[in-house]
Every structure is written in structure tokens, then in C-alpha cells.
Amino acid sequence: MKKRVGAIRIIASIITIGIVYSLRYVPEAVLSSLPQVEYTYIEEREHSESVSAAGEITALNSREIYVGVPVIISELYVKVGDYVEKGDALFKIDKELTESVLSAGMLSGVEIGDIEGIEDILKELEKLDISYENLLELLDIYNLSIEEYDKYTEKIRYDLETLPETVVSNFSGVISEINISEGTMKISATPLIKITDTENLNAIVSVNEIYAEEIEEGQRCIVSGSAFSNRRINGKVKKIYPTARKRLNGTTQETVIDIEIEFDESADLKKIKPGYSVSAKIYTTENEKVSVIPYECIMQDKDNQEYVYVLKNSTAVRKDIVSGKEFSDGAEVKSGLGAGDRVVVATEELQGDMVIVAVKKQNEE
């Protein structure tokens, strides 16, 4: 049985070869009845892919100035935008008034953090006549002992004694935020002043979680922004944050991953400020070699197998392929074709594994 099948194949091949070689002697009328086909070659091109991200410019280094207890500022020496060196004076604390206000505040029920100005503090103090008898009465009202009061006031004195009267900068940079003013008490849980190094910058951007697996440290990035529209800043992925987070995108919520972009040393960062909004392209693939053929060449059979026809002399021979990336003018062929193959621009007239065809001249309409 195997011998018979082999013999049939050999005979079929001989017949096909004979037909191909005999075509040169076939009249023009016969040739015109054959499927007329054109062909193209595989195009080798370089391809890059990128993921879009959005975020903002951030400072690499900044410091926030805190104090251990609520304080009243008597003098403020700086304003937003000032450049300060490490050791420069920032503000002066009125220790005596701070101690009085904090001691009285314990008795009067004043919420220190809610007091905006010295006038309000003084109004609260005027309500108190802190004689020893009144002190005992107030302590009883607030269910406090004299020992507790003494312990509290001693702690206030100790905390204030450990504070310098004049607070100085521990960092060189630009004053980017001030949350105090003269004559105002500020609670200790919030930063009084923020100092930012505006010369060493990076970008923090966010990408949708569906692209997270494509991002790797070291990938090239191009950053742009409306505030510096005439510039494109080159950088690379420095850090991928370990956890995702939720954010609102219009009226819907999406899950994103934050990416830190480090700018190249040669990047022009003049006039770029922390807080500027930016867009970024993160290149996940660069200059990858791909083989591309027009979509018109690719067909699909009933089993969803993609294939093309390749010219062998005057015969169109079917070849199964595996396609890949899609472009506006064609698709990548990952396997099934070789360099130099003449790929038929497909026509519905072609059926079967081997078809005798008439090849059009490439410039023929």
C-alpha cells in the first residue's frame, strides 16, 4: 500500500513539473485562462513598542521641618521660593507664650490644633483666673489631680527646653511649603516648613496594571509635558513600585502601578519644576527585527490555520505560517517563510496545495 501511495506522489510530481515546463509552449489564450497573480517579498523592518504613562515631576530630595510639641511662632524669616543653606534660620519660637497657652489649654478644654491666631488664644486665657483655688476647682471639673497637672506642665517645660529658640534648616534647597505664620500656634503632627532640592529631579508615572508585566528596570523612556512642550527628556525606568493602587480615571476606577523614571545625566532640566504633570513613553521593545507581509497575502482555512502561497516557478505552493504583531500595512510572520520567498498577493481563485498560475508583470495594472 505504501509503495502504491509513493508511486502516485511521484507520478503527480512528474505531471506537475511537465505542466510547468510545457507552459512556455502553451498558446497565449490558454495562459490567460490561468489565475493571474502578483507577488511581493517579505519586508524586514525594525520595530519598537512602548507603553504610555502619566504622572508628575518630583524632587529626589526634600526635608520637612517638625517640632516635638505645638509651638507659637514669634518670627518667620523665610517665604516660599527662598533658597536656604543648611544652618540658615527659618523661624523663632515664643517659648514663654507657648508654655502658658499649653498649660491653660489643658484646663479650658481648648483644642490647640484648631486655634488659628494669637487673638483666639488670648481670649481663652482671659476666661481663666488661675489662682490656686480656681486651679483646684478647674481640676475637679475636668476630673484631674494636681499631680497630673504638675506632670503635664513639667513635660511641656521639658519639651520646650529641648527646642532651640531659633529653628534652622537641616538641608540646602528651596522653601517649597510653609504651614506656619507669625502669632499662630502650630500642632506638632504636621510639617511646619518643607524644603526641596529643585535641581535633582525625577518623574513618578503610573501605568495600567495590564501593562505591568511588560515593564522592566532599565527600559528607555521619553518624558514630555505641557509646561515644556518643546523638549523631550530621555531617561530610564529606575524603580517599579512593589504594590498596585487604585485611582479614578474620569468616572471609573482603575488599578495602576507606579514607576520611577530617572533622567539621563545630560537631560536639560532647566525651568522644570516639581509638580509639573508629564506624559511618558516607556519602550518595552526597541529595534526588534520583524518580517512583515501585506494582509492581502494571508488567508485562513476552515481550521483557522493561516497560510500563504509562495511562487515556485509558475506554481503557487501553499505554506502554513504563524503570524505575530499587526501593523497598519501588514502583519508579522514569525515562522513559515524564508528570505527571498515570492509571496503571492492572494486571490480567491487559488485553491489547494499547488496551483498553476500566470504571473503578472509587477508594474502591470
Side-chain angles (χ1 to χ4, degrees), residues 106-142:
M106 180 184 182
L107 300 177
S108 64
V110 175
E111 291 292 335
I112 298 299
D114 293 336
I115 296 176
E116 292 296 332
I118 204 67
E119 296 82 4
D120 294 329
I121 298 172
L122 294 175
K123 286 178 183 177
E124 293 297 331
L125 289 175
E126 287 173 1
K127 297 177 183 177
L128 304 173
D129 178 13
I130 309 298
S131 64
Y132 186 73
E133 291 76 12
N134 287 338
L135 174 61
L136 293 178
E137 183 178 345
L138 286 168
L139 290 173
D140 184 60
I141 292 173
Y142 289 102

PDB file of all heavy atoms in Angstrom, residues 106-142:
ATOM      1  N   MET A 106      -5.007  72.912  78.702  1.00  0.00           N
ATOM      2  CA  MET A 106      -5.385  71.656  79.352  1.00  0.00           C
ATOM      3  C   MET A 106      -6.601  71.852  80.235  1.00  0.00           C
ATOM      4  O   MET A 106      -7.451  70.978  80.349  1.00  0.00           O
ATOM      5  CB  MET A 106      -4.198  71.146  80.180  1.00  0.00           C
ATOM      6  CG  MET A 106      -4.478  69.846  80.911  1.00  0.00           C
ATOM      7  SD  MET A 106      -3.096  69.385  81.953  1.00  0.00           S
ATOM      8  CE  MET A 106      -3.706  67.824  82.604  1.00  0.00           C
ATOM      9  N   LEU A 107      -6.683  73.037  80.856  1.00  0.00           N
ATOM     10  CA  LEU A 107      -7.770  73.277  81.788  1.00  0.00           C
ATOM     11  C   LEU A 107      -9.032  73.778  81.108  1.00  0.00           C
ATOM     12  O   LEU A 107     -10.141  73.478  81.521  1.00  0.00           O
ATOM     13  CB  LEU A 107      -7.314  74.309  82.838  1.00  0.00           C
ATOM     14  CG  LEU A 107      -6.098  73.883  83.678  1.00  0.00           C
ATOM     15  CD1 LEU A 107      -5.714  75.030  84.614  1.00  0.00           C
ATOM     16  CD2 LEU A 107      -6.408  72.629  84.472  1.00  0.00           C
ATOM     17  N   SER A 108      -8.871  74.575  80.063  1.00  0.00           N
ATOM     18  CA  SER A 108     -10.038  75.203  79.440  1.00  0.00           C
ATOM     19  C   SER A 108     -10.691  74.323  78.390  1.00  0.00           C
ATOM     20  O   SER A 108     -11.746  74.660  77.869  1.00  0.00           O
ATOM     21  CB  SER A 108      -9.630  76.522  78.791  1.00  0.00           C
ATOM     22  OG  SER A 108      -8.720  76.285  77.731  1.00  0.00           O
ATOM     23  N   GLY A 109     -10.080  73.208  78.052  1.00  0.00           N
ATOM     24  CA  GLY A 109     -10.638  72.339  77.019  1.00  0.00           C
ATOM     25  C   GLY A 109     -10.396  72.843  75.624  1.00  0.00           C
ATOM     26  O   GLY A 109     -11.048  72.404  74.682  1.00  0.00           O
ATOM     27  N   VAL A 110      -9.475  73.800  75.468  1.00  0.00           N
ATOM     28  CA  VAL A 110      -9.193  74.348  74.144  1.00  0.00           C
ATOM     29  C   VAL A 110      -8.522  73.292  73.280  1.00  0.00           C
ATOM     30  O   VAL A 110      -7.592  72.634  73.711  1.00  0.00           O
ATOM     31  CB  VAL A 110      -8.275  75.582  74.254  1.00  0.00           C
ATOM     32  CG1 VAL A 110      -7.878  76.082  72.864  1.00  0.00           C
ATOM     33  CG2 VAL A 110      -8.964  76.667  75.034  1.00  0.00           C
ATOM     34  N   GLU A 111      -9.016  73.114  72.051  1.00  0.00           N
ATOM     35  CA  GLU A 111      -8.357  72.245  71.084  1.00  0.00           C
ATOM     36  C   GLU A 111      -7.261  73.051  70.407  1.00  0.00           C
ATOM     37  O   GLU A 111      -7.530  73.888  69.542  1.00  0.00           O
ATOM     38  CB  GLU A 111      -9.350  71.718  70.046  1.00  0.00           C
ATOM     39  CG  GLU A 111     -10.367  70.728  70.585  1.00  0.00           C
ATOM     40  CD  GLU A 111      -9.712  69.407  70.998  1.00  0.00           C
ATOM     41  OE1 GLU A 111      -8.643  69.086  70.461  1.00  0.00           O
ATOM     42  OE2 GLU A 111     -10.278  68.716  71.860  1.00  0.00           O
ATOM     43  N   ILE A 112      -6.010  72.812  70.831  1.00  0.00           N
ATOM     44  CA  ILE A 112      -4.902  73.647  70.368  1.00  0.00           C
ATOM     45  C   ILE A 112      -4.782  73.635  68.849  1.00  0.00           C
ATOM     46  O   ILE A 112      -4.508  74.649  68.218  1.00  0.00           O
ATOM     47  CB  ILE A 112      -3.577  73.169  71.013  1.00  0.00           C
ATOM     48  CG1 ILE A 112      -3.636  73.298  72.531  1.00  0.00           C
ATOM     49  CG2 ILE A 112      -2.393  73.943  70.454  1.00  0.00           C
ATOM     50  CD1 ILE A 112      -3.827  74.687  73.025  1.00  0.00           C
ATOM     51  N   GLY A 113      -5.005  72.492  68.261  1.00  0.00           N
ATOM     52  CA  GLY A 113      -4.844  72.386  66.818  1.00  0.00           C
ATOM     53  C   GLY A 113      -5.845  73.211  66.029  1.00  0.00           C
ATOM     54  O   GLY A 113      -5.638  73.486  64.857  1.00  0.00           O
ATOM     55  N   ASP A 114      -6.926  73.621  66.682  1.00  0.00           N
ATOM     56  CA  ASP A 114      -7.955  74.394  65.982  1.00  0.00           C
ATOM     57  C   ASP A 114      -7.743  75.896  66.114  1.00  0.00           C
ATOM     58  O   ASP A 114      -8.474  76.677  65.520  1.00  0.00           O
ATOM     59  CB  ASP A 114      -9.342  74.038  66.523  1.00  0.00           C
ATOM     60  CG  ASP A 114      -9.716  72.600  66.191  1.00  0.00           C
ATOM     61  OD1 ASP A 114      -9.150  72.082  65.216  1.00  0.00           O
ATOM     62  OD2 ASP A 114     -10.540  72.036  66.907  1.00  0.00           O
ATOM     63  N   ILE A 115      -6.778  76.325  66.905  1.00  0.00           N
ATOM     64  CA  ILE A 115      -6.580  77.746  67.133  1.00  0.00           C
ATOM     65  C   ILE A 115      -5.784  78.330  65.975  1.00  0.00           C
ATOM     66  O   ILE A 115      -4.688  77.900  65.674  1.00  0.00           O
ATOM     67  CB  ILE A 115      -5.845  78.002  68.468  1.00  0.00           C
ATOM     68  CG1 ILE A 115      -6.711  77.514  69.629  1.00  0.00           C
ATOM     69  CG2 ILE A 115      -5.519  79.470  68.626  1.00  0.00           C
ATOM     70  CD1 ILE A 115      -6.061  77.635  70.968  1.00  0.00           C
ATOM     71  N   GLU A 116      -6.341  79.344  65.318  1.00  0.00           N
ATOM     72  CA  GLU A 116      -5.717  79.913  64.137  1.00  0.00           C
ATOM     73  C   GLU A 116      -4.820  81.102  64.466  1.00  0.00           C
ATOM     74  O   GLU A 116      -3.814  81.319  63.820  1.00  0.00           O
ATOM     75  CB  GLU A 116      -6.786  80.347  63.129  1.00  0.00           C
ATOM     76  CG  GLU A 116      -7.554  79.185  62.520  1.00  0.00           C
ATOM     77  CD  GLU A 116      -6.657  78.281  61.689  1.00  0.00           C
ATOM     78  OE1 GLU A 116      -5.644  78.762  61.155  1.00  0.00           O
ATOM     79  OE2 GLU A 116      -6.976  77.098  61.581  1.00  0.00           O
ATOM     80  N   GLY A 117      -5.169  81.899  65.457  1.00  0.00           N
ATOM     81  CA  GLY A 117      -4.398  83.110  65.722  1.00  0.00           C
ATOM     82  C   GLY A 117      -4.228  83.375  67.192  1.00  0.00           C
ATOM     83  O   GLY A 117      -4.923  82.811  68.047  1.00  0.00           O
ATOM     84  N   ILE A 118      -3.281  84.225  67.509  1.00  0.00           N
ATOM     85  CA  ILE A 118      -2.968  84.528  68.902  1.00  0.00           C
ATOM     86  C   ILE A 118      -4.135  85.199  69.619  1.00  0.00           C
ATOM     87  O   ILE A 118      -4.317  85.042  70.832  1.00  0.00           O
ATOM     88  CB  ILE A 118      -1.697  85.407  68.970  1.00  0.00           C
ATOM     89  CG1 ILE A 118      -1.020  85.248  70.334  1.00  0.00           C
ATOM     90  CG2 ILE A 118      -1.997  86.849  68.659  1.00  0.00           C
ATOM     91  CD1 ILE A 118      -0.439  83.890  70.564  1.00  0.00           C
ATOM     92  N   GLU A 119      -4.981  85.928  68.853  1.00  0.00           N
ATOM     93  CA  GLU A 119      -6.120  86.590  69.482  1.00  0.00           C
ATOM     94  C   GLU A 119      -7.062  85.571  70.103  1.00  0.00           C
ATOM     95  O   GLU A 119      -7.587  85.771  71.213  1.00  0.00           O
ATOM     96  CB  GLU A 119      -6.877  87.435  68.453  1.00  0.00           C
ATOM     97  CG  GLU A 119      -6.086  88.597  67.874  1.00  0.00           C
ATOM     98  CD  GLU A 119      -5.154  88.187  66.753  1.00  0.00           C
ATOM     99  OE1 GLU A 119      -5.187  86.995  66.385  1.00  0.00           O
ATOM    100  OE2 GLU A 119      -4.387  89.027  66.264  1.00  0.00           O
ATOM    101  N   ASP A 120      -7.308  84.456  69.389  1.00  0.00           N
ATOM    102  CA  ASP A 120      -8.196  83.418  69.927  1.00  0.00           C
ATOM    103  C   ASP A 120      -7.608  82.803  71.188  1.00  0.00           C
ATOM    104  O   ASP A 120      -8.327  82.487  72.147  1.00  0.00           O
ATOM    105  CB  ASP A 120      -8.424  82.336  68.876  1.00  0.00           C
ATOM    106  CG  ASP A 120      -9.185  82.860  67.668  1.00  0.00           C
ATOM    107  OD1 ASP A 120      -9.996  83.776  67.854  1.00  0.00           O
ATOM    108  OD2 ASP A 120      -8.948  82.357  66.558  1.00  0.00           O
ATOM    109  N   ILE A 121      -6.287  82.610  71.167  1.00  0.00           N
ATOM    110  CA  ILE A 121      -5.634  82.027  72.347  1.00  0.00           C
ATOM    111  C   ILE A 121      -5.811  82.944  73.558  1.00  0.00           C
ATOM    112  O   ILE A 121      -6.157  82.508  74.658  1.00  0.00           O
ATOM    113  CB  ILE A 121      -4.137  81.793  72.063  1.00  0.00           C
ATOM    114  CG1 ILE A 121      -3.981  80.791  70.918  1.00  0.00           C
ATOM    115  CG2 ILE A 121      -3.418  81.283  73.297  1.00  0.00           C
ATOM    116  CD1 ILE A 121      -2.558  80.641  70.429  1.00  0.00           C
ATOM    117  N   LEU A 122      -5.571  84.230  73.333  1.00  0.00           N
ATOM    118  CA  LEU A 122      -5.674  85.180  74.436  1.00  0.00           C
ATOM    119  C   LEU A 122      -7.097  85.259  74.976  1.00  0.00           C
ATOM    120  O   LEU A 122      -7.315  85.413  76.179  1.00  0.00           O
ATOM    121  CB  LEU A 122      -5.193  86.558  73.983  1.00  0.00           C
ATOM    122  CG  LEU A 122      -3.690  86.640  73.642  1.00  0.00           C
ATOM    123  CD1 LEU A 122      -3.348  88.017  73.084  1.00  0.00           C
ATOM    124  CD2 LEU A 122      -2.843  86.347  74.867  1.00  0.00           C
ATOM    125  N   LYS A 123      -8.080  85.139  74.100  1.00  0.00           N
ATOM    126  CA  LYS A 123      -9.475  85.147  74.548  1.00  0.00           C
ATOM    127  C   LYS A 123      -9.744  83.985  75.491  1.00  0.00           C
ATOM    128  O   LYS A 123     -10.455  84.120  76.487  1.00  0.00           O
ATOM    129  CB  LYS A 123     -10.415  85.081  73.356  1.00  0.00           C
ATOM    130  CG  LYS A 123     -10.500  86.385  72.564  1.00  0.00           C
ATOM    131  CD  LYS A 123     -11.421  86.231  71.361  1.00  0.00           C
ATOM    132  CE  LYS A 123     -11.443  87.513  70.540  1.00  0.00           C
ATOM    133  NZ  LYS A 123     -12.288  87.354  69.320  1.00  0.00           N
ATOM    134  N   GLU A 124      -9.169  82.841  75.150  1.00  0.00           N
ATOM    135  CA  GLU A 124      -9.355  81.683  76.026  1.00  0.00           C
ATOM    136  C   GLU A 124      -8.646  81.893  77.359  1.00  0.00           C
ATOM    137  O   GLU A 124      -9.148  81.514  78.411  1.00  0.00           O
ATOM    138  CB  GLU A 124      -8.814  80.422  75.334  1.00  0.00           C
ATOM    139  CG  GLU A 124      -9.594  80.005  74.104  1.00  0.00           C
ATOM    140  CD  GLU A 124     -11.022  79.635  74.429  1.00  0.00           C
ATOM    141  OE1 GLU A 124     -11.284  79.171  75.554  1.00  0.00           O
ATOM    142  OE2 GLU A 124     -11.902  79.820  73.567  1.00  0.00           O
ATOM    143  N   LEU A 125      -7.463  82.512  77.315  1.00  0.00           N
ATOM    144  CA  LEU A 125      -6.732  82.744  78.557  1.00  0.00           C
ATOM    145  C   LEU A 125      -7.465  83.735  79.458  1.00  0.00           C
ATOM    146  O   LEU A 125      -7.421  83.640  80.692  1.00  0.00           O
ATOM    147  CB  LEU A 125      -5.327  83.267  78.251  1.00  0.00           C
ATOM    148  CG  LEU A 125      -4.363  82.247  77.632  1.00  0.00           C
ATOM    149  CD1 LEU A 125      -3.049  82.925  77.271  1.00  0.00           C
ATOM    150  CD2 LEU A 125      -4.103  81.096  78.596  1.00  0.00           C
ATOM    151  N   GLU A 126      -8.141  84.723  78.868  1.00  0.00           N
ATOM    152  CA  GLU A 126      -8.862  85.723  79.640  1.00  0.00           C
ATOM    153  C   GLU A 126     -10.011  85.123  80.443  1.00  0.00           C
ATOM    154  O   GLU A 126     -10.468  85.690  81.436  1.00  0.00           O
ATOM    155  CB  GLU A 126      -9.401  86.810  78.705  1.00  0.00           C
ATOM    156  CG  GLU A 126      -8.320  87.742  78.173  1.00  0.00           C
ATOM    157  CD  GLU A 126      -8.847  88.693  77.119  1.00  0.00           C
ATOM    158  OE1 GLU A 126     -10.066  88.626  76.825  1.00  0.00           O
ATOM    159  OE2 GLU A 126      -8.058  89.489  76.582  1.00  0.00           O
ATOM    160  N   LYS A 127     -10.481  83.950  79.991  1.00  0.00           N
ATOM    161  CA  LYS A 127     -11.577  83.305  80.706  1.00  0.00           C
ATOM    162  C   LYS A 127     -11.100  82.694  82.027  1.00  0.00           C
ATOM    163  O   LYS A 127     -11.903  82.316  82.877  1.00  0.00           O
ATOM    164  CB  LYS A 127     -12.189  82.198  79.852  1.00  0.00           C
ATOM    165  CG  LYS A 127     -12.827  82.687  78.561  1.00  0.00           C
ATOM    166  CD  LYS A 127     -13.334  81.501  77.759  1.00  0.00           C
ATOM    167  CE  LYS A 127     -13.919  81.956  76.419  1.00  0.00           C
ATOM    168  NZ  LYS A 127     -14.361  80.794  75.597  1.00  0.00           N
ATOM    169  N   LEU A 128      -9.797  82.567  82.202  1.00  0.00           N
ATOM    170  CA  LEU A 128      -9.243  81.870  83.355  1.00  0.00           C
ATOM    171  C   LEU A 128      -8.642  82.859  84.358  1.00  0.00           C
ATOM    172  O   LEU A 128      -7.961  83.809  83.969  1.00  0.00           O
ATOM    173  CB  LEU A 128      -8.165  80.881  82.910  1.00  0.00           C
ATOM    174  CG  LEU A 128      -8.612  79.845  81.872  1.00  0.00           C
ATOM    175  CD1 LEU A 128      -7.416  79.041  81.404  1.00  0.00           C
ATOM    176  CD2 LEU A 128      -9.669  78.933  82.456  1.00  0.00           C
ATOM    177  N   ASP A 129      -8.932  82.629  85.630  1.00  0.00           N
ATOM    178  CA  ASP A 129      -8.242  83.355  86.706  1.00  0.00           C
ATOM    179  C   ASP A 129      -7.499  82.290  87.485  1.00  0.00           C
ATOM    180  O   ASP A 129      -8.035  81.646  88.390  1.00  0.00           O
ATOM    181  CB  ASP A 129      -9.266  84.090  87.597  1.00  0.00           C
ATOM    182  CG  ASP A 129      -8.602  84.818  88.747  1.00  0.00           C
ATOM    183  OD1 ASP A 129      -7.358  84.949  88.705  1.00  0.00           O
ATOM    184  OD2 ASP A 129      -9.321  85.238  89.671  1.00  0.00           O
ATOM    185  N   ILE A 130      -6.247  82.061  87.093  1.00  0.00           N
ATOM    186  CA  ILE A 130      -5.554  80.884  87.602  1.00  0.00           C
ATOM    187  C   ILE A 130      -4.939  81.170  88.974  1.00  0.00           C
ATOM    188  O   ILE A 130      -3.725  81.307  89.135  1.00  0.00           O
ATOM    189  CB  ILE A 130      -4.469  80.407  86.618  1.00  0.00           C
ATOM    190  CG1 ILE A 130      -5.055  80.248  85.225  1.00  0.00           C
ATOM    191  CG2 ILE A 130      -3.885  79.069  87.070  1.00  0.00           C
ATOM    192  CD1 ILE A 130      -6.149  79.219  85.160  1.00  0.00           C
ATOM    193  N   SER A 131      -5.818  81.360  89.976  1.00  0.00           N
ATOM    194  CA  SER A 131      -5.364  81.330  91.365  1.00  0.00           C
ATOM    195  C   SER A 131      -5.351  79.871  91.793  1.00  0.00           C
ATOM    196  O   SER A 131      -5.863  78.990  91.086  1.00  0.00           O
ATOM    197  CB  SER A 131      -6.320  82.129  92.252  1.00  0.00           C
ATOM    198  OG  SER A 131      -7.603  81.518  92.253  1.00  0.00           O
ATOM    199  N   TYR A 132      -4.738  79.588  92.945  1.00  0.00           N
ATOM    200  CA  TYR A 132      -4.636  78.195  93.375  1.00  0.00           C
ATOM    201  C   TYR A 132      -6.030  77.604  93.602  1.00  0.00           C
ATOM    202  O   TYR A 132      -6.308  76.467  93.237  1.00  0.00           O
ATOM    203  CB  TYR A 132      -3.794  78.091  94.642  1.00  0.00           C
ATOM    204  CG  TYR A 132      -3.527  76.659  95.057  1.00  0.00           C
ATOM    205  CD1 TYR A 132      -2.633  75.854  94.345  1.00  0.00           C
ATOM    206  CD2 TYR A 132      -4.198  76.103  96.144  1.00  0.00           C
ATOM    207  CE1 TYR A 132      -2.406  74.550  94.718  1.00  0.00           C
ATOM    208  CE2 TYR A 132      -3.964  74.791  96.527  1.00  0.00           C
ATOM    209  CZ  TYR A 132      -3.070  74.019  95.805  1.00  0.00           C
ATOM    210  OH  TYR A 132      -2.844  72.707  96.174  1.00  0.00           O
ATOM    211  N   GLU A 133      -6.938  78.428  94.199  1.00  0.00           N
ATOM    212  CA  GLU A 133      -8.280  77.928  94.456  1.00  0.00           C
ATOM    213  C   GLU A 133      -9.009  77.624  93.143  1.00  0.00           C
ATOM    214  O   GLU A 133      -9.676  76.582  93.001  1.00  0.00           O
ATOM    215  CB  GLU A 133      -9.081  78.954  95.268  1.00  0.00           C
ATOM    216  CG  GLU A 133      -8.609  79.153  96.699  1.00  0.00           C
ATOM    217  CD  GLU A 133      -7.333  79.982  96.778  1.00  0.00           C
ATOM    218  OE1 GLU A 133      -6.963  80.582  95.747  1.00  0.00           O
ATOM    219  OE2 GLU A 133      -6.716  79.999  97.855  1.00  0.00           O
ATOM    220  N   ASN A 134      -8.897  78.554  92.185  1.00  0.00           N
ATOM    221  CA  ASN A 134      -9.557  78.313  90.885  1.00  0.00           C
ATOM    222  C   ASN A 134      -8.939  77.131  90.143  1.00  0.00           C
ATOM    223  O   ASN A 134      -9.626  76.399  89.441  1.00  0.00           O
ATOM    224  CB  ASN A 134      -9.472  79.567  90.015  1.00  0.00           C
ATOM    225  CG  ASN A 134     -10.402  80.660  90.505  1.00  0.00           C
ATOM    226  OD1 ASN A 134     -11.377  80.388  91.207  1.00  0.00           O
ATOM    227  ND2 ASN A 134     -10.089  81.901  90.161  1.00  0.00           N
ATOM    228  N   LEU A 135      -7.623  76.970  90.313  1.00  0.00           N
ATOM    229  CA  LEU A 135      -6.950  75.847  89.684  1.00  0.00           C
ATOM    230  C   LEU A 135      -7.520  74.534  90.196  1.00  0.00           C
ATOM    231  O   LEU A 135      -7.832  73.625  89.413  1.00  0.00           O
ATOM    232  CB  LEU A 135      -5.445  75.924  89.935  1.00  0.00           C
ATOM    233  CG  LEU A 135      -4.616  74.733  89.441  1.00  0.00           C
ATOM    234  CD1 LEU A 135      -4.742  74.577  87.928  1.00  0.00           C
ATOM    235  CD2 LEU A 135      -3.151  74.900  89.837  1.00  0.00           C
ATOM    236  N   LEU A 136      -7.683  74.427  91.533  1.00  0.00           N
ATOM    237  CA  LEU A 136      -8.232  73.201  92.111  1.00  0.00           C
ATOM    238  C   LEU A 136      -9.659  72.965  91.613  1.00  0.00           C
ATOM    239  O   LEU A 136     -10.063  71.835  91.344  1.00  0.00           O
ATOM    240  CB  LEU A 136      -8.202  73.275  93.636  1.00  0.00           C
ATOM    241  CG  LEU A 136      -6.805  73.274  94.284  1.00  0.00           C
ATOM    242  CD1 LEU A 136      -6.925  73.412  95.802  1.00  0.00           C
ATOM    243  CD2 LEU A 136      -6.053  72.006  93.935  1.00  0.00           C
ATOM    244  N   GLU A 137     -10.427  74.058  91.508  1.00  0.00           N
ATOM    245  CA  GLU A 137     -11.802  73.939  91.033  1.00  0.00           C
ATOM    246  C   GLU A 137     -11.846  73.430  89.584  1.00  0.00           C
ATOM    247  O   GLU A 137     -12.644  72.550  89.240  1.00  0.00           O
ATOM    248  CB  GLU A 137     -12.490  75.290  91.144  1.00  0.00           C
ATOM    249  CG  GLU A 137     -13.965  75.260  90.745  1.00  0.00           C
ATOM    250  CD  GLU A 137     -14.628  76.623  90.908  1.00  0.00           C
ATOM    251  OE1 GLU A 137     -14.046  77.494  91.588  1.00  0.00           O
ATOM    252  OE2 GLU A 137     -15.715  76.797  90.338  1.00  0.00           O
ATOM    253  N   LEU A 138     -10.975  74.001  88.753  1.00  0.00           N
ATOM    254  CA  LEU A 138     -10.931  73.569  87.360  1.00  0.00           C
ATOM    255  C   LEU A 138     -10.469  72.116  87.231  1.00  0.00           C
ATOM    256  O   LEU A 138     -10.986  71.352  86.420  1.00  0.00           O
ATOM    257  CB  LEU A 138      -9.998  74.477  86.550  1.00  0.00           C
ATOM    258  CG  LEU A 138     -10.547  75.870  86.225  1.00  0.00           C
ATOM    259  CD1 LEU A 138      -9.437  76.759  85.700  1.00  0.00           C
ATOM    260  CD2 LEU A 138     -11.670  75.761  85.197  1.00  0.00           C
ATOM    261  N   LEU A 139      -9.504  71.758  88.045  1.00  0.00           N
ATOM    262  CA  LEU A 139      -9.027  70.370  88.006  1.00  0.00           C
ATOM    263  C   LEU A 139     -10.148  69.405  88.363  1.00  0.00           C
ATOM    264  O   LEU A 139     -10.271  68.321  87.778  1.00  0.00           O
ATOM    265  CB  LEU A 139      -7.851  70.187  88.969  1.00  0.00           C
ATOM    266  CG  LEU A 139      -6.535  70.865  88.560  1.00  0.00           C
ATOM    267  CD1 LEU A 139      -5.504  70.747  89.680  1.00  0.00           C
ATOM    268  CD2 LEU A 139      -5.991  70.246  87.280  1.00  0.00           C
ATOM    269  N   ASP A 140     -10.967  69.811  89.328  1.00  0.00           N
ATOM    270  CA  ASP A 140     -12.085  68.959  89.718  1.00  0.00           C
ATOM    271  C   ASP A 140     -13.105  68.849  88.601  1.00  0.00           C
ATOM    272  O   ASP A 140     -13.667  67.780  88.351  1.00  0.00           O
ATOM    273  CB  ASP A 140     -12.734  69.538  90.989  1.00  0.00           C
ATOM    274  CG  ASP A 140     -13.847  68.639  91.494  1.00  0.00           C
ATOM    275  OD1 ASP A 140     -13.548  67.467  91.813  1.00  0.00           O
ATOM    276  OD2 ASP A 140     -15.010  69.094  91.530  1.00  0.00           O
ATOM    277  N   ILE A 141     -13.353  69.964  87.901  1.00  0.00           N
ATOM    278  CA  ILE A 141     -14.297  69.950  86.786  1.00  0.00           C
ATOM    279  C   ILE A 141     -13.845  68.973  85.700  1.00  0.00           C
ATOM    280  O   ILE A 141     -14.651  68.228  85.146  1.00  0.00           O
ATOM    281  CB  ILE A 141     -14.460  71.365  86.207  1.00  0.00           C
ATOM    282  CG1 ILE A 141     -15.179  72.268  87.219  1.00  0.00           C
ATOM    283  CG2 ILE A 141     -15.222  71.326  84.875  1.00  0.00           C
ATOM    284  CD1 ILE A 141     -15.226  73.725  86.809  1.00  0.00           C
ATOM    285  N   TYR A 142     -12.546  69.012  85.423  1.00  0.00           N
ATOM    286  CA  TYR A 142     -12.026  68.148  84.355  1.00  0.00           C
ATOM    287  C   TYR A 142     -11.523  66.804  84.866  1.00  0.00           C
ATOM    288  O   TYR A 142     -10.872  66.057  84.141  1.00  0.00           O
ATOM    289  CB  TYR A 142     -10.898  68.865  83.602  1.00  0.00           C
ATOM    290  CG  TYR A 142     -11.417  70.005  82.760  1.00  0.00           C
ATOM    291  CD1 TYR A 142     -11.283  71.330  83.191  1.00  0.00           C
ATOM    292  CD2 TYR A 142     -12.059  69.753  81.552  1.00  0.00           C
ATOM    293  CE1 TYR A 142     -11.776  72.372  82.434  1.00  0.00           C
ATOM    294  CE2 TYR A 142     -12.550  70.798  80.781  1.00  0.00           C
ATOM    295  CZ  TYR A 142     -12.407  72.107  81.227  1.00  0.00           C
ATOM    296  OH  TYR A 142     -12.898  73.132  80.472  1.00  0.00           O
TER     297      TYR A 142
END
